[in-house]
Amino acid sequence: GRNFHVYSIDRVLADIADARKHGARAIFLVDDNITLDIRRFEMLCQAIIDAGLNDIDYMVQAMTSPIAQHGATLAPLMKRAGFRYVFLGIENILENDLDFLKARAKNARHGLGPGGNTTVEAIDHLHRHGLFVVGGLIVGNPDDTREAIETNLEFARRYVDWPYIQHPTPYPRTPMTQQFRQDHLIVDEDMSHYDGTTAVVRTKHVPAADVEFMRWRAER
């Protein structure tokens, strides 16, 4: 449902200390809810500093909205704690695509209205304090034109240190798949190809092979 459960700060520190004892020099915090409670995340950063565990390179997943809203104080604290890489689930910078991906809420700052996409603001906070951005983007959504796809690819070239670009994938029994099937956009039913980087759906305007080629060319 909508609930999530957290370990105590002491437990997290114990896990980090144990990893370092066994030779870990980098740790990826895979909790993608970690920025839902900014106060707790700040406490974790400060606890890492106080425990002297900030000699490890940390990578974390984050939503753009909390980073944009709290980045002025959070980003320098993250830097002091040893965080170097932040994976932002940007998904897409076009509002219509965010609606399709059900990702508008995590990319919108409260009080800014429908046009309040906060991705650039979040990236600016992180870059200003020396953190690197790994940006997850999804191109090839149902209404995407070539121009829409290129807009996202150009955004990645301009703002993101390490783009992680994928295609929407019709995994079985998901609402996304139902819409793709209803619109007759699925071109490949072989689930061994459902790896995120193979375009198995077309858009209403662009063939799947062209979508995949545009992503491949931009990455090269």
Side-chain angles (χ1 to χ4, degrees):
R2 293 180 175 274
N3 295 326
F4 67 96
H5 305 277
V6 298
Y7 286 121
S8 69
I9 298 293
D10 287 343
R11 163 63 192 271
V12 177
L13 293 179
D15 283 345
I16 293 173
D18 182 67
R20 186 175 69 172
K21 177 182 175 182
H22 286 84
R25 306 307 306 149
I27 292 178
F28 177 24
L29 304 181
V30 297
D31 177 12
D32 56 4
N33 289 316
I34 201 163
T35 53
L36 285 180
D37 186 344
I38 288 294
R39 178 59 186 146
R40 178 178 180 276
F41 187 31
E42 290 175 337
M43 289 173 59
L44 175 60
C45 290
Q46 189 60 55
I48 288 172
I49 296 168
D50 293 343
L53 295 171
N54 53 343
D55 56 350
I56 294 173
D57 289 337
Y58 295 98
M59 179 176 177
V60 67
Q61 299 183 101
M63 293 182 291
T64 59
S65 180
I67 296 293
Q69 190 167 356
H70 302 279
T73 54
L74 179 62
L77 183 60
M78 291 171 65
K79 178 69 173 180
R80 287 174 52 217
F83 287 84
R84 292 194 65 192
Y85 307 97
V86 180
F87 180 93
L88 293 179
I90 299 166
E91 312 295 17
N92 203 283
I93 62 166
L94 303 177
E95 296 296 329
N96 288 341
D97 281 349
L98 288 175
D99 284 338
F100 171 73
L101 295 167
K102 305 293 188 291
R104 181 189 289 267
K106 68 180 182 179
N107 286 288
R109 183 164 176 174
H110 296 300
L112 291 184
N117 190 298
T118 56
T119 302
V120 173
E121 187 177 357
I123 291 173
D124 182 60
H125 282 307
L126 296 172
H127 279 167
R128 192 180 309 138
H129 295 284
L131 287 93
F132 296 104
V133 174
V134 183
L137 289 127
I138 297 176
V139 298
N141 298 300
D143 291 319
D144 276 359
T145 61
R146 293 177 188 273
E147 292 75 19
I149 294 170
E150 189 53 48
T151 295
N152 277 282
L153 296 176
E154 177 56 32
F155 178 90
R157 280 190 286 266
R158 181 175 178 183
Y159 290 103
V160 178
D161 300 299
W162 283 278
Y164 182 57
I165 303 170
Q166 292 189 294
H167 305 298
T169 303
Y171 298 110
R173 296 197 296 179
T174 63
M176 179 184 292
T177 297
Q178 295 171 17
Q179 183 171 341
F180 277 127
R181 198 170 298 285
Q182 176 182 317
D183 294 338
H184 306 288
L185 298 178
I186 301 175
V187 300
D188 188 343
E189 300 276 1
D190 184 349
M191 281 193 285
S192 69
H193 298 158
Y194 286 18
D195 56 11
T197 56
T198 301
V200 296
V201 299
R202 63 179 179 88
T203 81
K204 296 174 184 176
H205 311 283
V206 186
D210 290 4
V211 173
E212 186 172 331
F213 177 73
M214 292 176 71
R215 175 195 57 78
W216 176 87
R217 182 178 59 189
E219 288 183 340
R220 294 308 177 275

